Amino acid sequence: MNIVEIIVLVAIFYIVPCVGLGKMFGKAGEDTWKAYIPFLNVYVMIQLSGKPTWWIALMLIPGINILVLWGIHIDFVKSYGKFGLAEQMLSILLPFVFFPMWGFDDKTKYLGKSNSPDFKETRKKELKKTPTREWTEAIIFAVVAATLIRTFFIEAYTIPTPSMERSLLVGDFLFVSKLNYGPRTPGTPIAFPFAHHTMPITGTKAYWEGLQLPYYRMPGLQKIQKGDVVVFNYPMDADAPYYRPVDKRENYIKRCQGTPGDTLSVVDGQVYVNGKPNPNPPGGQLDYKLQTSADLNPEVEKELNISYYDGHQFPFMTKESADKLKTYSNVTMLEPNISPKGEVAQTWPGDANHQWNADNYGPVIIPKKGWTVKLDSLNIPLYIRAIEVYEGNKVEQDGPNSLLINGVKTDSYTFKMDYYWMMGDNRHDSADSRFWGFVPEDHIVGKALFIWMSWDDAGSFLGKIRWSRLFRGIN
């Protein structure tokens, strides 16, 4: 977003409504200049509508302040005779249109404090609501409140794939906190409630791209730590044909293995960060090369949670299960299916300069906001996507060790955002940062807190519910 676009947005969404608000203040005997001062204008609206002064304190609570402001708007316009539901909703949705319209309308007068007993008594007829309107307002409030809770506080999420097994299972229902890392304000604010990016049944877009707001994240309770289970928007949805705005990209869930500024590598399946081995996730699993003198008993496979996935030759299990399985007399060989160093696989960036695979990877320095990287032929493939796609620069290759960034030749770049390295706990059945690279900070959705329900499609009747997993915290 350039400076001209920012100026236009500020003019439309702040200055123009304030012009109308100032005219409305003047009709009530208040100074018009107060309409242009943040918080003071809200305070004056509270005073003119007769709401308690302490409502101004509620404006400091993220998420709640939106509902509070809407309530202030409704009572404020009632004081000017706007009793209809449509008028009150328009004062919330289009203040840059209707505040100036009412402010410059000679017929719109200040009638008094709408919250006062005298006003309610004298305007009893106009304030009376039909049952239809009461139901409509209740539904609108419920939808708005639920949307605000999902946006700023907590949201439900379902595990759709086995990439986090056996830490998280397909069919686990989670609550994801937006508060831990700070709520992210919507970048695509005009969207259908409760639909992420696609409408049910019709399969059409559930959002309008005509209005895109700049990235902003409110202060959080903590920074992302290595080992956190994080929900984020899938970065590769920035590419055609699935291009979507950042906040409408597919939700993914992985474990953070590297934070901004870390040097990360994978050696024989073990993640190392800054030269030290990262703790392996609880419940993480690999596939194992298995040879037996007789078939395994299905009850043994069930007891040890041994899984078979489509497209994989070998069984998957945790290290604890593998250690126990080795003690069985019919098991003649059992070892992790680790790709040897130097065996090239289709990992990101997958070019000839990097002889990497999913088990032997890196080292990679994870970009940090403000970090200046010296570009060369080895690291340009690693960072060019972040520079071009995630940070919005026009990039052209200009020789092996330099780029043209926005038309200027350079051999270095300073990052504007923090980035993270995300990996699934099910290391050999997970599409993660090894295959598509860094996760930018503006893609972070929230922290997975706990499992509130777990559903096993393979179970029967009450056995479909995994009772032992209900309300379990996520490690």
Side-chain angles (χ1 to χ4, degrees):
M1 181 173 292
N2 59 42
I3 188 66
V4 174
E5 292 173 325
I6 292 173
I7 291 172
V8 170
L9 286 176
V10 170
I12 292 174
F13 292 107
Y14 189 77
I15 296 176
V16 172
C18 288
V19 170
L21 200 57
K23 295 292 289 184
M24 295 177 79
F25 283 1
K27 292 179 179 185
E30 284 286 348
D31 295 324
T32 58
W33 62 266
K34 293 180 180 179
Y36 297 90
I37 310 300
F39 280 95
L40 178 59
N41 50 19
V42 176
Y43 174 78
V44 174
M45 292 170 73
I46 288 173
Q47 294 297 304
L48 292 178
S49 60
K51 297 185 80 67
T53 303
W54 54 262
W55 269 59
I56 195 70
L58 298 177
M59 291 294 296
L60 302 175
I61 305 173
I64 298 296
N65 55 7
I66 297 176
L67 282 176
V68 170
L69 182 61
W70 289 2
I72 293 170
H73 271 220
I74 289 171
D75 281 345
F76 176 70
V77 299
K78 281 182 187 176
S79 296
Y80 290 81
K82 309 305 174 184
F83 302 115
L85 177 61
E87 292 173 312
Q88 293 168 11
M89 292 303 298
L90 290 170
S91 76
I92 293 170
L93 299 175
L94 300 171
F96 49 87
V97 173
F98 287 89
F99 279 178
M101 187 177 77
W102 294 330
F104 286 92
D105 178 18
D106 292 336
K107 295 180 181 179
T108 300
K109 308 289 185 183
Y110 178 67
L111 305 179
K113 297 180 178 182
S114 62
N115 266 289
S116 68
D118 288 345
F119 188 95
K120 292 177 180 178
E121 182 61 33
T122 57
R123 304 284 173 178
K124 186 185 298 184
K125 185 176 179 180
E126 294 99 322
L127 291 170
K128 186 177 180 181
K129 298 178 182 179
T130 64
T132 300
R133 177 168 174 177
E134 289 180 347
W135 273 102
T136 301
E137 289 183 351
I139 292 170
I140 292 172
F141 177 82
V143 170
V144 169
T147 301
L148 291 176
I149 290 170
R150 292 175 69 243
T151 301
F152 295 101
F153 296 96
I154 198 166
E155 184 175 4
Y157 181 81
T158 308
I159 300 295
T161 69
S163 70
M164 288 294 291
E165 291 189 349
R166 295 205 60 85
S167 307
L168 296 172
L169 306 180
V170 174
D172 281 349
F173 293 79
L174 319 177
F175 276 129
V176 176
S177 167
K178 307 294 182 72
L179 293 174
N180 282 67
Y181 306 139
R184 181 183 58 177
T185 56
T188 314
I190 302 178
F192 193 85
F194 310 121
H196 181 43
H197 54 64
T198 304
M199 291 292 292
I201 302 175
T202 63
T204 56
K205 287 182 180 178
Y207 56 89
W208 181 57
E209 295 179 63
L211 176 61
Q212 291 287 299
L213 301 181
Y215 164 66
Y216 177 73
R217 188 178 297 276
M218 298 176 186
L221 303 176
Q222 64 169 103
K223 292 185 178 295
I224 298 177
Q225 305 292 322
K226 286 182 278 291
D228 286 357
V229 176
V230 181
V231 173
F232 55 91
N233 298 117
Y234 181 43
M236 299 303 283
D237 273 359
D239 298 337
Y242 300 110
Y243 171 78
R244 300 182 180 112
V246 171
D247 58 334
K248 297 302 177 184
R249 292 171 188 168
E250 197 68 65
N251 286 329
Y252 264 40
I253 184 167
K254 307 290 180 187
R255 191 179 299 273
C256 178
Q257 294 290 340
T259 52
D262 285 340
T263 299
L264 180 142
S265 60
V266 183
V267 179
D268 294 333
Q270 173 65 55
V271 176
Y272 287 80
V273 175
N274 302 324
K276 298 179 180 178
N278 250 14
N280 289 316
Q285 63 180 17
L286 298 171
D287 64 336
Y288 282 76
K289 296 177 181 177
L290 172 65
Q291 292 180 2
T292 62
S293 57
D295 291 342
L296 291 179
N297 187 323
E299 291 301 317
V300 170
E301 293 182 340
K302 184 177 180 180
E303 177 189 344
L304 298 180
N305 292 313
I306 297 173
S307 302
Y308 295 85
Y309 300 119
D310 291 341
H312 293 276
Q313 177 183 358
F314 301 114
F316 284 68
M317 66 193 83
T318 64
K319 184 178 183 303
E320 292 73 21
S321 293
D323 290 341
K324 188 169 182 180
L325 187 61
K326 285 179 182 178
T327 65
Y328 285 74
S329 58
N330 59 331
V331 175
T332 57
M333 189 273 284
L334 183 66
E335 61 182 35
N337 183 29
I338 301 295
S339 299
K341 186 175 182 179
E343 179 181 288
V344 181
Q346 292 300 312
T347 52
W348 170 85
D351 68 330
N353 292 329
H354 299 91
Q355 305 296 308
W356 295 347
N357 57 59
D359 296 315
N360 284 280
Y361 195 97
V364 175
I365 300 175
I366 302 169
K368 182 178 182 178
K369 184 178 181 179
W371 175 54
T372 301
V373 59
K374 185 74 172 176
L375 298 170
D376 57 41
S377 59
L378 286 176
N379 63 24
I380 283 176
L382 302 177
Y383 300 120
I384 191 170
R385 181 177 178 83
I387 296 170
E388 182 175 26
V389 178
Y390 307 143
E391 304 210 348
N393 298 288
K394 182 180 179 182
V395 179
E396 299 172 84
Q397 191 91 29
D398 185 49
N401 297 315
S402 67
L403 300 174
L404 282 173
I405 299 179
N406 301 321
V408 178
K409 184 174 181 177
T410 183
D411 61 356
S412 65
Y413 181 78
T414 301
F415 287 95
K416 303 172 188 175
M417 286 193 292
D418 285 332
Y419 290 80
Y420 299 87
W421 191 267
M422 304 292 183
M423 292 175 64
D425 291 356
N426 195 1
R427 292 288 168 78
H428 289 167
D429 195 45
S430 173
D432 52 39
S433 286
R434 294 168 294 175
F435 300 88
W436 37 253
F438 311 114
V439 176
E441 66 173 73
D442 64 349
H443 285 56
I444 300 297
V445 174
K447 181 178 182 178
L449 291 183
F450 65 90
I451 301 164
W452 63 273
M453 169 61 79
S454 186
W455 186 263
D456 183 3
D457 280 335
S460 58
F461 195 47
L462 293 179
K464 285 185 176 291
I465 299 175
R466 302 184 183 109
W467 299 96
S468 63
R469 297 185 66 79
L470 269 56
F471 300 102
R472 176 190 287 188
I474 296 172
N475 298 318

